[in-house]
Amino acid sequence: MDPGFAPPFESEVHVIASPSLSAGDGWVPDLSRRLELVTPSHTMQGLFVRSFQAAVLALGEGDQDVLERCRQVWAQHDTYVDSFYYPSRLQLEVLDVALAPLAARHGGASRVLQLLGRRCVRDFLASFIGRALLVGAGGDAKRLLTQAPEAYRIAVSSSVHSLRWLGPNHCVWTMHRDFMPMPFQEGIIQGLFEEARILNVTVLGRQLDTLEGEYDISWR
């Protein structure tokens, strides 16, 4: 596996699979509904598109048929500029092509989606906005989570986020109008804590609707 997928230390961020869909099942057919709902007004920054490209290419290495079909999707644009916005549909079209074969090779669809999310957030945190987020948090989980939804909204313009605090070390992050499958967002949250070097974190995702999920996050 591409070394870019390895966490910066032995991960102590625990992602618990949602009871709504079993690991490896359900997410491939779920994509068709998301593709029906996405519109041209739903966009994301080019940084996320390029990072997603690199992650899919790494996981799909050796499967030339799948990679060529993915490249045909990306060829809709000549280039991807980090700060420009592009249709969110691009990621869903690539997943529609690649998720099933990648899942067969890498331990199921949930596992693949989490790996993709971790890679994308790692690259985002290396950007100017991402570095500012990490510096502002200073290794404090609560400060990190307080700031993260706004940073995410800048990167993915269609999404709406809210935080509900249940205690000093426990919150629920709800994502509305969110076009990426739930395990992808679990990977985003997992990677966020890994890059911030914050340990002993548990993430539990719950799918509320096709485009809405909540993530129960706690740490000690």
Side-chain angles (χ1 to χ4, degrees):
M1 183 178 294
D2 177 71
F5 287 105
F9 56 89
E10 185 176 354
S11 179
E12 292 189 36
V13 181
H14 310 289
V15 176
I16 302 174
S18 168
S20 61
L21 289 172
S22 60
D25 294 328
W27 296 112
V28 173
D30 173 77
L31 290 171
S32 61
R33 179 59 177 156
R34 295 175 187 272
L35 281 164
E36 290 174 359
L37 295 171
V38 71
T39 73
S41 66
H42 302 122
T43 60
M44 67 182 64
Q45 283 190 331
L47 171 64
F48 265 94
V49 180
R50 293 197 308 102
S51 179
F52 193 77
Q53 285 178 346
V56 171
L57 291 172
L59 287 177
E61 184 177 5
D63 191 334
Q64 294 306 312
D65 177 61
V66 169
L67 294 183
E68 180 56 34
R69 292 169 66 191
C70 291
R71 292 187 181 102
Q72 289 174 10
V73 175
W74 293 320
Q76 296 175 39
H77 297 269
D78 294 333
T79 187
Y80 292 94
V81 179
D82 284 0
S83 59
F84 289 7
Y85 285 85
Y86 300 89
S88 298
R89 186 179 186 87
L90 288 167
Q91 285 188 329
L92 295 175
E93 289 181 348
V94 167
L95 285 177
D96 195 43
V97 168
L99 186 55
L102 291 181
R105 295 176 60 181
H106 297 289
S110 292
R111 172 66 174 161
V112 168
L113 289 164
Q114 286 176 4
L115 288 172
L116 294 173
R118 285 170 65 196
R119 169 64 181 260
C120 286
V121 78
R122 187 200 70 179
D123 289 353
F124 172 72
L125 292 173
S127 70
F128 176 79
I129 295 175
R131 290 195 301 271
L133 174 64
L134 290 179
V135 170
D140 182 271
K142 188 166 186 176
R143 284 204 301 267
L144 180 67
L145 281 167
T146 299
Q147 300 171 31
E150 177 60 19
Y152 200 114
R153 188 197 62 77
I154 294 171
V156 184
S157 67
S158 60
S159 59
V160 178
H161 300 258
S162 61
L163 282 180
R164 183 172 80 255
W165 290 97
L166 305 179
N169 299 336
H170 187 192
C171 73
V172 175
W173 181 349
T174 303
M175 301 186 186
H176 311 267
R177 292 209 308 274
D178 172 30
F179 285 89
M180 294 302 287
M182 189 182 68
F184 180 87
Q185 304 298 4
E186 290 174 333
I188 289 278
I189 297 169
Q190 180 181 15
L192 182 66
F193 282 106
E194 287 173 350
E195 293 296 319
R197 308 299 200 272
I198 298 172
L199 310 181
N200 301 314
V201 179
T202 299
V203 180
L204 170 61
R206 299 185 186 92
Q207 190 77 22
L208 303 178
D209 201 352
T210 303
L211 303 184
E212 184 172 356
E214 65 178 20
Y215 304 84
D216 188 296
I217 306 166
S218 60
W219 61 95
R220 61 181 192 277

